[in-house]
Amino acid sequence: MADSTADATETNADTLRRELQKVLTEILYDGGGKDRGETEDCFGVLKAIDEAIRILTCLRKVESKKSESDMSPVEVPKEFICTLSNTIMIEPVIIASGQTYEKRYITEWLKHERTCPKSKEVLSHCLWIPNHLINELITQWCRVNKVDRQKPSDEIVTEMFTGDIEALLQRISSSSSVADQIEAAKELRRQTKRFPNVRVFFVAGIHDSITRLLSPLSALGEAVDSNPELQENIVTALFNLSILENNKTVIAENRLVIPLLTKSLKQGTAETRRNAAATLSSLSAIDSNKIIIGNSEAVKALIDLVEEGDLLATKEATSTVFNLCIVLENKEKAVSAGLIPAATKKIKAGSNVDELLSLLALISTHNRAIEEMDKLGFIYDLFKILRKPSCLLTGENAVVIVFNMCDRNRDKSRLKVVGEEENQHGTFTKLAKQGSVRAVRKAQGILQWIKRFVTGKEPQRA
């Protein structure tokens, strides 16, 4: 008899749950946040709400009759679960598509996407409003089923957008078709660009993820560019991952990274070469990485790209070499790898002048760098730049190089050349009046040398 009563109670509870599911669907379909102007529609929704509350009340009475030993896990109505968090909603909100989501999760989604996660439709706006109806129904359902409902939280959502990353990585690193590897790498590239959470999760949450990502390129050996589209997408995804500060050291210390980036500086599409340089630039922001990269063949490959690359590739390569040359021992390596002729050739051609002058100003404290600039007659190119500098920083870097060329070797022949430039164009007098603070200081120093060693007149002392 007891079993029969329990079965009847369970049957009644199941019936009530099905009725509740039907009413909830009706409520969400008719009143899911779209604009409503029809009085009849509104009245229908209100009736449905009253019915839902009635069913919940009955369900509560039925459930209360069941003994604890008969209790089984309660099935949560799918309308109460956010499809982004996969949990019961705490703060349900409606977006422009009429769909309801957990506030924290949809807010994070809308920072990166302008589509509805469920319907995929493009949203007319990215605003949301509280769904008080669903919130009240969830509250009553939790009370009936003795489910503890969590309280709202300000905790940052970190797990979203990471669900399919492991699967993408598996497709890239497996022996599947190249076409499938390319599609997976392209999607990973997209996600690592758009979602900061993915950058965190990829390195910290997946074992050996960097090695697995690069394994298809590593397996190709010297023919790393035999699948240029795959190479481009993998290298670009690696760049996206390197943006995150906490990832930089882990990436640079992986044994595959620097060799593969070095090959990609030489081979592959123009975008691959640019992004390989950009990745090294990003990694070289960390001091320990400057040593790792400086001790590799990447330095020579970067300088070759400075000379041969397009405007953007040269810019990225120059930025990387600049970062590396902050470390003293890397200056010698850069000069030995041919930096001076590569950079001066590009400047003479009028390309990437501002970036390259910044790099040469940094390295112009190196004696061998000065000697090579002198042999190439680069001082005359600096004079042309100083007569009409494109900006204060360009003038500053050019005069710093001239100053260092004179300071490192004050022979009269070089100072005579500088003096002739001053006599003909007043270059350094103008700069001493109109340049940046640093440029004024260097120009004044040069003028003093001219007076002392060229004209034979000592500068006036106060």
Side-chain angles (χ1 to χ4, degrees):
M1 183 69 178
D3 289 342
S4 175
T5 302
D7 290 343
T9 302
E10 185 60 45
T11 300
N12 289 338
D14 287 341
T15 301
L16 289 169
R17 289 192 193 98
R18 284 194 295 272
E19 289 179 7
L20 178 62
Q21 193 84 20
K22 181 179 178 182
V23 174
L24 286 174
T25 302
E26 181 183 341
I27 291 170
L28 291 173
Y29 180 79
D30 291 336
K34 298 281 190 180
D35 292 336
R36 296 189 301 268
E38 300 288 341
T39 304
E40 184 177 345
D41 288 347
C42 292
F43 180 71
V45 171
L46 291 174
K47 283 183 64 179
I49 293 170
D50 289 340
E51 179 64 9
I53 293 172
R54 183 193 69 77
I55 294 170
L56 279 166
T57 303
C58 293
L59 185 59
R60 185 178 186 182
K61 291 178 181 177
V62 170
E63 293 287 353
S64 65
K65 294 177 182 178
K66 296 164 64 177
S67 64
E68 289 192 10
S69 60
D70 294 330
M71 293 288 282
S72 58
V74 181
E75 183 180 349
V76 182
K78 67 179 188 300
E79 290 81 8
F80 294 170
I81 297 175
C82 171
T83 54
L84 292 175
S85 68
N86 292 315
T87 58
I88 297 175
M89 287 181 277
I90 304 168
E91 294 179 282
V93 296
I94 306 172
I95 62 172
S97 65
Q99 299 292 334
T100 298
Y101 300 96
E102 174 59 44
K103 186 177 85 171
R104 280 193 307 140
Y105 282 77
I106 195 62
T107 299
E108 185 65 25
W109 173 276
L110 293 175
K111 288 178 183 178
H112 310 286
E113 300 280 5
R114 200 186 172 87
T115 57
C116 173
K118 188 173 183 180
S119 69
K120 307 303 181 187
E121 68 177 275
V122 177
L123 302 175
S124 59
H125 60 79
C126 290
L127 303 176
W128 49 257
I129 58 172
N131 191 331
H132 296 298
L133 163 62
I134 288 296
N135 187 54
E136 177 60 27
L137 290 174
I138 292 173
T139 299
Q140 292 208 34
W141 182 89
C142 288
R143 190 179 297 125
V144 166
N145 291 280
K146 297 182 174 62
V147 173
D148 291 332
R149 190 180 182 191
Q150 295 182 3
K151 298 186 182 303
S153 170
D154 293 329
E155 185 180 348
I156 298 173
V157 173
T158 58
E159 70 272 25
M160 196 161 53
F161 311 117
T162 61
D164 61 344
I165 300 303
E166 172 68 47
L168 288 175
L169 185 57
Q170 181 61 31
R171 288 167 60 194
I172 294 169
S173 59
S174 69
S175 57
S176 60
S177 69
V178 173
D180 187 53
Q181 286 179 311
I182 290 171
E183 285 305 310
K186 191 180 296 184
E187 178 60 19
L188 182 66
R189 170 183 177 173
R190 187 190 75 84
Q191 295 206 31
T192 52
K193 177 182 179 181
R194 302 191 72 173
F195 307 130
N197 294 341
V198 172
R199 295 176 213 145
V200 175
F201 175 77
F202 188 91
V203 175
I206 302 179
H207 176 67
D208 210 19
S209 55
I210 301 300
T211 299
R212 292 169 63 192
L213 172 65
L214 299 180
S215 59
L217 300 183
S218 177
L220 295 171
E222 292 303 316
V224 67
D225 61 339
S226 59
N227 295 316
E229 191 175 0
L230 177 63
Q231 180 195 20
E232 180 182 308
N233 284 298
I234 288 177
V235 168
T236 307
L238 187 66
F239 166 68
N240 295 337
L241 292 166
S242 76
I243 294 171
L244 189 68
E245 195 73 14
N246 290 342
N247 288 351
K248 294 182 190 294
T249 302
V250 176
I251 292 173
E253 290 180 352
N254 184 289
R255 62 181 180 81
L256 297 180
V257 169
I258 305 303
L260 283 173
L261 287 175
T262 301
K263 291 177 184 176
S264 294
L265 289 171
K266 305 172 185 177
Q267 304 165 238
T269 66
E271 187 171 358
T272 295
R273 300 180 78 191
R274 286 197 300 269
N275 289 339
T279 306
L280 287 167
S281 179
S282 175
L283 296 176
S284 64
I286 302 294
D287 287 344
S288 60
N289 291 350
K290 291 179 174 69
I291 304 299
I292 295 173
I293 300 169
N295 288 334
S296 74
E297 295 179 6
V299 175
K300 180 65 171 70
L302 284 163
I303 290 168
D304 288 344
L305 191 59
V306 166
E307 184 174 6
E308 302 164 3
D310 59 23
L311 195 69
L312 291 175
T314 296
K315 182 177 181 179
E316 294 293 353
T318 301
S319 171
T320 308
V321 177
F322 185 96
N323 286 346
L324 296 178
C325 287
I326 292 172
V327 176
L328 185 60
E329 55 263 40
N330 285 339
K331 289 185 178 181
E332 174 63 34
K333 292 170 183 173
V335 173
S336 297
L339 173 61
I340 304 305
T344 54
K345 177 183 175 182
K346 207 84 172 189
I347 291 172
K348 288 173 186 285
S351 178
N352 299 91
V353 174
D354 294 344
E355 297 95 352
L356 288 167
L357 280 178
S358 294
L359 173 55
L360 292 182
L362 173 66
I363 211 165
S364 64
T365 55
H366 190 278
N367 287 334
R368 186 176 159 196
I370 291 296
E371 290 171 6
E372 292 194 21
M373 288 186 219
D374 200 32
K375 289 177 183 178
L376 292 166
F378 186 55
I379 196 164
Y380 295 102
D381 299 287
L382 293 170
F383 290 160
K384 290 178 184 177
I385 292 168
L386 285 170
R387 289 170 205 157
K388 291 183 179 180
S390 58
C391 65
L392 283 177
L393 184 58
T394 298
E396 177 183 306
N397 286 322
V399 77
V400 165
I401 299 169
V402 173
F403 181 92
N404 287 336
M405 291 179 79
C406 295
D407 191 36
R408 295 268 155 179
N409 184 10
R410 292 185 204 166
D411 63 80
K412 286 200 172 182
S413 60
R414 183 177 294 168
L415 286 170
K416 184 180 178 181
V417 169
V418 176
E420 288 172 354
E421 173 67 22
E422 173 61 23
N423 289 336
Q424 290 180 27
H425 302 283
T427 303
F428 300 101
T429 298
K430 291 176 185 175
L431 200 61
K433 294 177 180 177
Q434 301 172 359
S436 66
V437 174
R438 189 183 183 203
V440 167
R441 190 169 68 249
K442 298 297 183 182
Q444 288 174 343
I446 291 170
L447 288 170
Q448 286 183 337
W449 289 334
I450 292 171
K451 289 177 182 179
R452 180 179 301 172
F453 299 109
V454 179
T455 66
K457 296 178 181 179
E458 290 288 335
Q460 296 293 318
R461 298 185 183 278

